[in-house]
């Protein structure tokens, strides 16, 4: 739907689905479990939930306010709302963060395609847990295979973006997202009934506070921002396509609930299964790729055809979830280049796809032949992940809350959140209070502690 020359999401459902499509992705099913494993389980999850509800949701509303009010891309938004100030750097930092995320994200998205193929060819059948570990390691460190998949994935996303068939995706999401949800529920059921799954459930439910340090807080906060697609203007860009009746607070809440539910359920698939087959919970980025095939094999050992169908369906849906998030990441940079530098949309999209392919290939190689090349002890893949999720996104979130809490005219904030007074938003004061005081201070304190600044 085009209104005033700018595209709009068609319906309320479309708004929620597109934003949830951005939020739900590899961050929930791949990154959340491995960060939970890294940081020791239940305590991390509780801190994560705190970050989602106390920081994430109000900041999401703030991004919506900026995007819908300015009706433009994230960098342009600050120029419009705060002309002639340095706030525009906040938008530009967001574009850069999106760019870096897209580079390593597409590597993992490429892995999901390899696993779709494996599942289709019935390649998981009869393998032992050790064989799954080995085959993942040899695949991810291979110089060619992951590279080809990542290029294929980016080209596919690119095609969808320039053809403007996001509408088709929006429509199919109405079926695919609920399907992914049902499949996840089935897999949770399978996983928790595996022998020895109990220790995995305990890992998720019994917090061990003795292991909690500032690192855990930074990890949980970074994961919350990453998973909600916050801090880099992605949802701000999407909100520029919202119409004037969209209820910003309710949309933020719906997206937050859907996203959190899927992440927690993913944890309930991975950990019971990992403990059951003896895979270490802190196996890192490979965790879901070595654990899940085991779930399919073991849970359906009596019915191999079910194992086959479920594994194919799961990896296809995971790849699609990655695709909707990739489109949103791509959109941030494409809209920026298109609107700020007056490039045609097609050119802008090519520029983004081409550069991300280049950086993505470097990230992928840094897990294999380029392993020796490290900076601050991290290879390129981990470095991009660390710098974006743990530094750029929370920093972006902090400045976004300061921008809306302190800089932006109160009247604008009120008009946007209440749709010019037509909505009664009970949590309005709480949101403004959090944006003004809680979010900047909390994020600042976590940073200061982590960087040992005092
Ligand atoms: N939220 C996405 C996920 O959980 O997979 C990743 C992401 C998308 C992060 C868009 C940031 C973003 F702007």
């Amino acid at each position: 739907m085009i209104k005033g020359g700018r595209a709009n999401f068609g319906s309320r459902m479309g708004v929620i689905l597109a934003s949830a499509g951005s939020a739900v992705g590899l961050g929930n099913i791949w990154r959340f479990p491995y960060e939970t494993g890294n940081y020791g389980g239940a305590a991390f999850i509780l801190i994560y939930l705190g970050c989602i509800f106390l920081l994430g949701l109000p900041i999401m509303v703030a991004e919506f306010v900026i995007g819908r009010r300015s009706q433009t891309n994230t960098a342009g938004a600050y120029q419009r709302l705060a002309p002639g100030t340095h706030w525009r750097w906040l938008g530009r930092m967001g574009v850069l963060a999106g760019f870096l995320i897209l580079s390593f994200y597409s590597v993992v998205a490429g892995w999901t395609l390899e696993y779709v193929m494996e599942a289709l060819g019935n390649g998981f059948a009869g393998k032992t847990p050790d064989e799954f570990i080995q085959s993942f390691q040899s695949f991810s460190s291979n110089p060619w295979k992951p590279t080809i998949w990542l290029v294929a994935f980016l080209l596919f996303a690119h095609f969808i973006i320039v053809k403007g068939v996001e509408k088709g995706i929006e429509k199919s999401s109405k079926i695919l997202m609920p399907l992914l949800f049902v499949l996840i529920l089935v897999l949770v059921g399978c996983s928790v009934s595996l022998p020895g799954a109990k220790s995995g459930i305990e890992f998720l439910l019994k917090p061990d506070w003795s292991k909690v340090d500032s690192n855990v807080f930074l990890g949980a906060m970074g994961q919350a921002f990453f998973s909600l697609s916050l801090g880099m203007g992605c949802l701000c860009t999407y909100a520029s396509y919202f119409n004037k009746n969209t209820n910003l607070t309710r949309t933020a809440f719906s997206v937050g609930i859907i996203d959190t539910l899927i992440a927690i359920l993913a944890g309930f698939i991975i950990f019971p299964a990992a403990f059951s087959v003896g895979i270490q919970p802190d196996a890192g980025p490979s965790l879901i790729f070595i654990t899940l095939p085991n779930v399919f094999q073991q849970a359906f050992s009596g019915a191999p055809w079910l194992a086959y169908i479920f594994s194919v369906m799961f990896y296809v849906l995971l790849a699609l979830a990655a695709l909707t998030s990739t489109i949103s990441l791509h959109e941030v940079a494409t809209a920026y280049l298109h609107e700020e530098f007056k490039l045609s949309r097609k050119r802008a999209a090519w520029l983004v796809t081409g550069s991300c392919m280049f950086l993505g290939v470097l990230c992928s190689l840094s897990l294999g032949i380029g392993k020796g090349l490290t900076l601050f002890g991290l290879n390129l893949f981990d470095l991009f992940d660390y710098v974006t999720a743990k530094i750029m996104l929370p920093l972006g979130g902090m400045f976004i809350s300061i921008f809306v809490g302190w800089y932006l005219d109160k009247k604008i904030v009120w008009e946007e959140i209440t749709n010019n007074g037509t909505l009664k938003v009970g949590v309005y004061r709480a949101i403004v209070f959090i944006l003004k005081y809680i979010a900047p201070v909390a994020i600042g304190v976590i940073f200061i502690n982590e960087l040992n600044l005092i």
Side-chain angles (χ1 to χ4, degrees):
M1 199 199 300
I2 306 284
K3 266 188 195 161
R6 221 156 179 279
N8 257 298
F9 287 124
S11 62
R12 196 181 121 205
M13 196 61 188
V15 164
I16 295 179
L17 276 176
S19 313
S22 166
V24 174
L26 297 171
N28 307 60
I29 296 165
W30 161 73
R31 199 174 186 282
F32 174 77
Y34 95 70
E35 285 288 83
T36 304
N38 270 344
Y39 292 117
F44 171 86
I45 297 183
L46 288 176
I47 299 170
Y48 170 77
L49 291 177
C51 291
I52 291 274
F53 289 99
L54 210 63
L55 305 177
L57 296 189
I59 293 178
M60 194 185 295
V61 174
E63 281 207 26
F64 285 166
V65 167
I66 298 170
R68 187 173 63 178
R69 185 71 179 197
S70 64
Q71 293 281 302
T72 186
N73 70 84
T74 178
Y78 295 97
Q79 250 141 318
R80 240 174 235 187
L81 299 177
T85 65
H86 286 302
W87 284 106
R88 64 181 182 281
W89 289 101
L90 180 53
R92 291 177 184 167
M93 180 176 83
V95 175
L96 179 65
F99 206 68
L100 298 179
I101 293 177
L102 193 51
S103 305
F104 74 87
Y105 201 80
S106 46
V107 175
V108 185
W111 295 349
T112 66
L113 294 183
E114 163 79 7
Y115 275 65
V116 168
M117 289 304 170
E118 281 252 5
L120 275 172
N122 207 15
F124 301 141
K127 275 195 182 154
T128 63
D130 275 345
E131 284 170 332
F132 284 125
I133 297 181
Q134 258 169 23
S135 68
F136 177 79
Q137 275 164 356
S138 75
F139 161 69
S140 62
S141 57
N142 180 302
W144 292 109
K145 260 187 161 180
T147 310
I148 292 169
W149 284 126
L150 111 87
V151 170
F153 185 85
L154 274 174
L155 283 178
F156 189 57
H158 178 90
F159 172 79
I160 289 175
I161 288 160
V162 281
K163 287 281 166 208
V165 282
E166 284 113 311
K167 282 272 171 281
I169 296 222
E170 221 180 275
K171 275 203 192 109
S172 47
S173 297
K174 283 188 191 164
I175 305 164
L176 295 175
M177 294 268 273
L179 193 64
L180 177 66
F181 191 71
V182 172
L183 195 65
I184 285 178
L185 282 181
V186 172
L187 291 176
V188 169
C190 295
S191 186
V192 297
S193 52
L194 290 174
K198 221 176 118 226
S199 358
I201 300 174
E202 269 175 21
F203 182 76
L204 287 166
L205 296 180
K206 272 205 187 146
D208 176 0
W209 295 105
S210 68
K211 294 211 184 87
V212 172
D213 57 14
S214 63
N215 240 324
V216 179
F217 275 89
L218 185 69
M221 177 168 76
Q223 176 58 25
F225 280 97
F226 188 88
S227 191
L228 292 176
S229 306
L230 278 187
M232 50 156 279
C234 176
L235 294 180
C236 165
T237 304
Y238 267 28
S240 71
Y241 306 119
F242 288 0
N243 64 40
K244 63 180 188 347
N245 298 322
T246 305
N247 182 332
L248 303 186
T249 317
R250 203 164 48 189
T251 305
F253 206 73
S254 309
V255 174
I257 297 280
I258 296 172
D259 190 71
T260 307
L261 207 57
I262 296 201
I264 303 278
L265 288 175
F268 275 91
I269 300 177
I270 306 297
F271 291 106
F275 277 79
S276 164
V277 290
I279 288 171
Q280 290 302 318
D282 58 357
S286 62
L287 187 64
I288 68 157
F289 292 96
I290 55 184
T291 312
L292 265 174
N294 278 302
V295 180
F296 300 122
Q297 287 317 296
Q298 306 218 348
F300 305 106
S301 53
W305 61 277
L306 266 184
Y308 181 82
I309 292 180
F310 276 133
S311 49
V312 172
M313 265 173 49
F314 182 83
Y315 285 109
V316 168
L317 291 171
L318 184 59
L320 284 169
L323 184 67
T324 49
S325 303
T326 300
I327 289 174
S328 73
L329 282 162
H330 201 293
E331 180 62 24
V332 176
T334 304
Y336 169 69
L337 292 175
H338 171 54
E339 293 180 354
E340 298 300 305
F341 294 92
K342 308 286 172 261
L343 295 181
S344 71
R345 240 189 102 80
K346 203 169 164 188
R347 265 224 174 133
W350 266 121
L351 207 60
V352 176
T353 306
S355 348
C356 281
M357 258 178 207
F358 177 72
L359 285 178
V361 169
L362 293 183
C363 283
S364 181
L365 293 178
S366 79
L367 297 172
I369 53 173
K371 225 189 226 146
L373 282 176
T374 56
L375 200 64
F376 307 114
L378 298 171
N379 61 40
L380 199 65
F381 181 99
D382 292 334
L383 186 72
F384 277 16
D385 181 305
Y386 190 96
V387 168
T388 52
K390 292 186 184 151
I391 300 177
M392 294 175 90
L393 300 186
L395 205 61
M398 180 164 121
F399 283 113
I400 287 169
S401 51
I402 294 175
F403 183 75
V404 173
W406 293 96
Y407 181 87
L408 208 58
D409 189 346
K410 298 288 131 325
K411 197 165 152 272
I412 295 182
V413 180
W414 181 82
E415 280 172 4
E416 289 301 323
I417 295 183
T418 65
N419 288 356
N420 281 323
T422 55
L423 294 175
K424 254 197 130 41
V425 180
V427 287
Y428 174 75
R429 278 162 170 274
I431 293 176
V432 174
F433 183 78
I434 289 175
L435 291 177
K436 262 188 134 143
Y437 304 104
I438 311 272
V441 172
I443 299 172
V445 166
I446 294 176
F447 268 137
I448 288 171
N449 260 309
E450 176 59 21
L451 301 174
N452 284 329
L453 293 182
I454 43 172

